[in-house]
């Protein structure tokens, strides 16, 4: 059954639009004017091949643009795929429902950024953190599938090879969502997906997926670097297309008419993937990381990529999910971490309890606006999305005012993440272009969530924050009275100390990286699994999941839980062998090695 999503959509920046400079009467292009332009939706091309060394012709480029912007709106379709990568659906920008399915009912909880304060939903129940149900489980796979179905028709279209930079940029977007999907559940039909298969049958293992993505990244970077040699008329055509459809960074808008920020985005993704595999293939990890840095990674505010409200005019969905719907409250682990480190976010981004909270055991009442208080991950919650029905609704939440007024982006890859990756690489003795301390401290300085164009209160706190040598003594106390008080498990400070041992330095790096990634929970959860950092409270009631997780361990993957016979057969025939373990929450992925960090 065909699942291709034919959606029109485009961004138009009038102040940046440029007139086409193609001369369609160029006599040297007569042969190309006879090119057959097919507009069928299903093609099987070679996604891995980007023929960027071919010389462009004006007629060939015209044929490609006319067809790809024609009846089926391939550029707009790919733009919808970009939105789908971060919580969009039906051609729309990131929105509350899709974002919640993709993040808030899974990775946000597994990373322990948030806890869902109630169990009742119109499409099922979520009794505790690891209680993954079939109703919720479609989120991450669903967003991947929608995005893949948006990108692949154009990436497989024969005419896309006439404008290879556009192919490269959209293959880069797909590579990102492919990496993230592999890290959520493990194997899937990666190779057949890239062939635009209507009915894929075979799951590929995570190693195959990772190696395939990195091979694509190397080709993407080579293509985009070659762009500088192109004739001016061709450059303007490509820049027009990118500005109107694929502006996911500030580079072009800030006046950089090269494709430099996309090159750095690609290399930064390679660096991320290199660090993921450091425990399973350390030499490959080092080679990938050093190649990425040598080729150029993100190291400026305007080189970051994502979906930006300042460009696309939307509000980060997390604000309404938490405060409009009452579906998210701060996790007690995140509360304890931020308070133990006296982090700036505890001063302005998260709010104290919004209402009185009575203690069910003692009868004492925590008055409204008294303190930051989170809900322990895994606690068995009851019904109620209003304070009248459920007093947990009064627990701490994120500030809608900050999210909206500061136009918080939904990042693909953030400058701070890249600096923390380089800090860890330098710590391991790799050539990262600087010291671990330099990248660690610069990462902290640029770790804020808010849009860089909108300013941030963070900057007023960060210098003092970097000097914290020891954590603040902190004990989390549940205002309702569930469980005993929980002393903080954070025993490190913030200030870099060259005399610390390697493990302590790594813990500092990953702890600050975890905070900087917020709320990109997919990557935070991956790093939590890989390193064991930051130290967080154990999730309660792990047996409320699929029964595979031992108390004290964490969820290692989202099970496939196939709901139809065909999908179940694929899982049995190729999924389980590619995974190398049972389709369970406790099964580790290829890179998630149970071994020391050094």
């Amino acid at each position: 059954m065909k699942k291709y999503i034919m959606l029109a959509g485009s961004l138009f920046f009038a102040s940046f639009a440029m007139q086409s400079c193609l001369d369609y009467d160029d006599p040297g292009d007569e042969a190309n004017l006879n090119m057959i332009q097919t507009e069928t939706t299903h093609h099987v091309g070679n996604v891995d091949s980007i023929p960027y060394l071919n010389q462009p012709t004006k007629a060939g480029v015209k044929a490609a643009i006319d067809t790809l912007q024609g009846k089926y709106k391939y550029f707009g379709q790919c733009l919808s795929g970009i939105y789908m990568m971060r919580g969009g659906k039906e051609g729309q920008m990131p929105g509350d429902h899709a974002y919640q399915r993709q993040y808030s009912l899974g990775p946000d909880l597994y990373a322990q950024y948030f806890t869902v304060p109630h169990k009742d939903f119109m499409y099922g129940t979520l009794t505790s953190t690891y209680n993954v149900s079939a109703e919720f489980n479609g989120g991450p796979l669903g967003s991947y599938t929608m995005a893949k179905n948006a990108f692949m028709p154009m990436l497989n279209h024969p005419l896309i090879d006439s404008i290879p930079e556009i192919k490269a940029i959209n293959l880069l977007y797909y590579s990102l969502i492919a990496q993230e999907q592999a890290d959520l559940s493990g194997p899937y039909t990666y190779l057949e997906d890239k062939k635009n298969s209507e009915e894929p049958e075979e799951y590929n293992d995570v190693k195959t997926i990772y190696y395939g993505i990195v091979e694509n990244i190397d080709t993407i970077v080579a293509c985009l670097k070659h762009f500088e040699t192109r004739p001016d008329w061709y450059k303007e055509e490509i820049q027009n297309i990118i500005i109107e459809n694929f502006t996911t960074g500030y580079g072009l808008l800030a006046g950089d008419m090269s494709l430099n920020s996309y090159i750095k985005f690609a290399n930064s993704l390679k660096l991320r993937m290199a660090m993921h595999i450091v425990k399973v293939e350390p030499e490959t990890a080092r080679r990938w990381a050093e190649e990425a840095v040598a080729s150029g990674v993100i190291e400026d505010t305007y080189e970051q990529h994502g979906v930006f409200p300042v460009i696309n005019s939307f509000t980060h969905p997390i604000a309404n999910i938490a405060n409009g719907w009452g579906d998210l409250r701060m996790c007690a682990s995140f509360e304890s971490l931020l308070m133990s480190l006296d982090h700036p976010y505890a001063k302005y981004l998260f709010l104290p309890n919004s209402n009185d909270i009575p203690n069910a055991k003692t009868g004492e009442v925590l008055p409204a606006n008294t303190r930051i208080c989170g809900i322990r991950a895994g606690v068995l919650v009851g019904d109620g999305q209003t304070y009248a029905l459920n007093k947990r609704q009064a627990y701490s939440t994120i500030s809608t005012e900050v999210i909206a007024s500061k136009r918080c982006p939904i990042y693909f890859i953030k400058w701070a993440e890249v600096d923390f990756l380089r800090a860890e690489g330098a710590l391991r003795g790799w050539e990262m272009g600087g010291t671990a301390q330099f990248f660690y401290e610069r990462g902290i300085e640029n770790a804020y969530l808010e849009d860089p164009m909108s300013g941030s209160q963070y900057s007023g706190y960060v210098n003092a924050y970097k000097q914290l040598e020891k954590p603040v003594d902190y004990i989390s106390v549940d205002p309702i009275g569930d469980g005993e008080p929980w002393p903080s498990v954070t025993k490190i400070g913030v200030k870099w100390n060259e005399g610390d041992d390697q493990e302590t330095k790594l813990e500092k790096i990953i702890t600050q990286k975890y905070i900087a990634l917020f709320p990109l929970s997919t990557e935070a959860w991956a790093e939590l699994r890989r390193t064991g950092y930051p130290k967080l409270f154990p999730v309660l009631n792990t047996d409320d999941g699929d029964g595979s997780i031992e108390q004290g361990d964490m969820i290692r993957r989202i099970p496939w839980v196939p709901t139809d016979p065909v999908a179940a057969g694929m899982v049995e025939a190729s999924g389980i062998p590619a995974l190398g373990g049972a389709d369970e929450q406790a099964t580790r992925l290829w890179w998630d090695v149970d071994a020391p960090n050094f």
Side-chain angles (χ1 to χ4, degrees):
M1 181 178 66
K2 290 188 177 182
K3 301 179 181 177
Y4 303 105
I5 303 170
M6 298 301 154
L7 299 169
S10 66
L11 290 175
F12 181 73
F13 299 94
S15 60
F16 296 96
M18 296 175 285
Q19 296 297 316
S20 172
C21 60
L22 286 183
D23 177 5
Y24 298 132
D25 295 323
D26 186 348
D29 289 336
E30 289 181 5
N32 290 304
L33 295 175
N34 295 320
M35 180 180 293
I36 297 174
Q37 298 184 28
T38 176
E39 291 192 338
T40 55
T41 64
H42 188 75
H43 303 281
V44 180
N46 186 352
V47 172
D48 297 323
S49 173
I50 305 178
Y52 60 89
L53 295 178
N54 292 351
Q55 291 300 313
T57 64
K58 293 181 178 179
V61 171
K62 179 184 185 302
I65 294 175
D66 286 351
T67 297
L68 297 174
Q69 286 190 146
K71 179 179 179 181
Y72 291 105
K73 311 289 185 184
Y74 285 97
F75 295 158
Q77 182 178 332
C78 288
L79 175 61
S80 73
I82 292 169
Y83 296 153
M84 289 167 184
M85 291 167 63
R86 288 296 183 263
K89 64 178 181 179
E90 298 174 353
Q92 300 171 355
M93 284 179 278
D96 305 339
H97 287 283
Y99 186 94
Q100 183 181 46
R101 284 294 190 98
Q102 188 171 349
Y103 297 102
S104 303
L105 298 175
D108 285 1
L109 313 183
Y110 309 151
Q112 296 198 49
Y113 284 149
F114 290 106
T115 302
V116 176
H118 64 93
K119 70 177 182 181
D120 51 321
F121 287 85
M122 61 184 297
Y123 39 77
T125 61
L126 185 65
T127 58
S128 69
T129 297
Y130 291 164
N131 178 230
V132 178
S133 65
E135 290 89 349
F136 298 157
N137 199 39
L141 182 60
S143 63
Y144 164 79
T145 302
M146 289 191 297
K148 178 263 297 183
N149 287 348
F151 292 126
M152 285 306 151
M154 188 180 81
L155 289 175
N156 279 276
H157 198 289
L159 291 181
I160 192 60
D161 286 340
S162 295
I163 44 176
E165 291 82 4
I166 302 303
K167 183 177 185 179
I169 287 172
N170 282 277
L171 181 56
L172 173 58
Y173 294 137
Y174 171 72
S175 296
L176 175 63
I177 196 71
Q179 170 259 313
E180 292 177 336
Q181 177 57 35
D183 292 343
L184 290 171
S185 294
Y188 62 93
T189 55
Y190 170 75
L191 294 178
E192 289 176 279
D193 289 349
K194 288 205 295 183
K195 293 179 179 178
N196 208 19
S197 175
E198 296 183 76
E199 296 181 356
E201 298 179 350
E202 184 175 357
Y203 281 58
N204 306 118
D205 61 49
V206 174
K207 180 176 180 177
T208 296
I209 297 169
Y210 261 55
Y211 272 70
I213 293 171
V214 169
E215 183 177 349
N216 285 154
I217 288 172
D218 290 344
T219 305
I220 289 165
V221 169
C223 172
L224 298 183
K225 286 189 173 183
H226 187 71
F227 180 70
E228 291 303 313
T229 71
R230 298 295 204 180
D232 289 342
W233 67 263
Y234 180 82
K235 288 182 181 179
E236 291 185 18
E237 287 298 325
I238 297 300
Q239 289 160 350
N240 278 343
I241 295 170
I242 294 171
I243 288 173
E244 293 182 14
N245 299 279
F246 308 121
T247 303
T248 56
Y250 285 139
L252 289 172
L253 300 183
D256 180 4
M257 301 310 291
S258 72
L259 302 184
N260 193 48
S261 74
Y262 295 86
I263 294 169
K264 293 194 171 189
F265 170 17
N267 285 323
S268 297
L269 176 59
K270 182 176 178 178
L271 178 60
R272 173 195 283 180
M273 296 174 68
M275 203 60 71
H276 282 190
I277 70 168
V278 70
K279 289 165 75 171
V280 65
E281 291 195 4
E283 291 307 313
T284 302
R286 178 171 188 161
R287 175 168 56 83
W288 286 359
E290 292 182 342
E291 288 173 352
V293 171
S295 182
V297 293
I298 294 169
E299 48 187 344
D300 185 86
T301 296
Y302 295 103
E303 293 169 353
Q304 301 176 112
H305 274 260
V307 186
F308 292 87
V310 72
I311 296 174
N312 299 286
S313 299
F314 72 100
T315 298
H316 197 303
I318 206 167
N320 191 52
I321 295 169
N323 301 327
W325 296 349
D327 286 352
L328 289 176
R329 289 295 177 265
M330 189 180 198
C331 182
S333 284
F334 204 26
E335 167 211 342
S336 179
L337 179 62
L338 296 183
M339 298 302 291
S340 296
L341 297 178
D342 195 26
H343 192 276
Y345 281 176
K347 305 176 190 298
Y348 74 94
L349 185 61
F350 285 93
L351 305 174
N353 56 305
S354 61
N355 216 318
D356 295 351
I357 304 178
N359 189 301
K361 293 180 179 178
T362 66
E364 296 179 12
V365 175
L366 179 70
N369 299 310
T370 298
R371 69 175 180 87
I372 300 289
C373 54
I375 301 173
R376 182 78 178 265
V379 68
L380 297 172
V381 294
D383 294 341
Q385 292 172 263
T386 65
Y387 172 75
L389 297 174
N390 180 359
K391 296 301 182 281
R392 293 192 191 278
Q393 291 290 346
Y395 283 56
S396 292
T397 185
I398 198 165
S399 169
T400 297
E401 180 181 359
V402 171
I403 295 295
S405 68
K406 299 302 181 181
R407 297 178 289 191
C408 295
I410 310 180
Y411 284 105
F412 292 159
I413 293 189
K414 191 175 177 180
W415 180 16
E417 178 193 345
V418 175
D419 270 355
F420 290 123
L421 286 165
R422 296 174 79 176
E424 181 178 350
L427 183 65
R428 293 181 179 278
W430 303 350
E431 181 50 61
M432 294 287 102
T435 66
Q437 178 177 354
F438 172 79
F439 292 121
Y440 173 78
E441 292 178 343
R442 192 173 71 174
I444 293 173
E445 291 166 4
N446 295 286
Y448 53 87
L449 171 61
E450 301 91 314
D451 189 280
M453 286 186 176
S454 300
S456 171
Q457 297 179 54
Y458 181 90
S459 59
Y461 298 110
V462 68
N463 287 335
Y465 175 67
K466 289 192 301 181
Q467 299 305 312
L468 183 72
E469 295 193 35
K470 295 181 179 180
V472 177
D473 289 335
Y474 187 76
I475 298 177
S476 297
V477 179
D478 185 5
I480 282 180
D482 268 356
E484 298 299 319
W486 314 306
S488 173
V489 293
T490 302
K491 305 302 180 186
I492 56 168
V494 179
K495 185 176 182 179
W496 186 263
N497 180 1
E498 200 57 50
D500 287 339
D501 59 37
Q502 292 287 88
E503 196 68 37
T504 300
K505 289 176 181 176
L506 180 65
E507 182 179 357
K508 286 184 175 181
I509 291 169
I510 302 299
T511 297
Q512 294 303 320
K513 181 180 181 181
Y514 169 90
I515 299 171
L517 284 166
F518 176 82
L520 185 57
S521 53
T522 48
E523 188 59 25
W525 178 37
E527 292 296 76
L528 183 62
R529 286 175 283 168
R530 176 177 72 89
T531 67
Y533 299 130
K535 293 179 180 176
L536 304 173
F537 297 135
V539 175
L540 303 174
N541 299 301
T542 55
D543 56 351
D544 200 35
D546 64 7
S548 65
I549 303 174
E550 296 182 5
Q551 189 63 42
D553 199 359
M554 72 181 83
I555 187 171
R556 295 286 169 179
R557 60 180 291 273
I558 300 174
W560 295 306
V561 193
T563 55
D564 65 83
V566 174
M570 290 171 58
V571 166
E572 188 65 29
S574 63
I576 298 297
L579 179 63
D583 183 18
E584 295 176 342
Q585 294 176 327
T587 299
R588 291 174 179 263
L589 302 182
W590 167 64
W591 50 260
D592 182 11
V593 177
D594 186 11
N597 287 312
F598 295 98

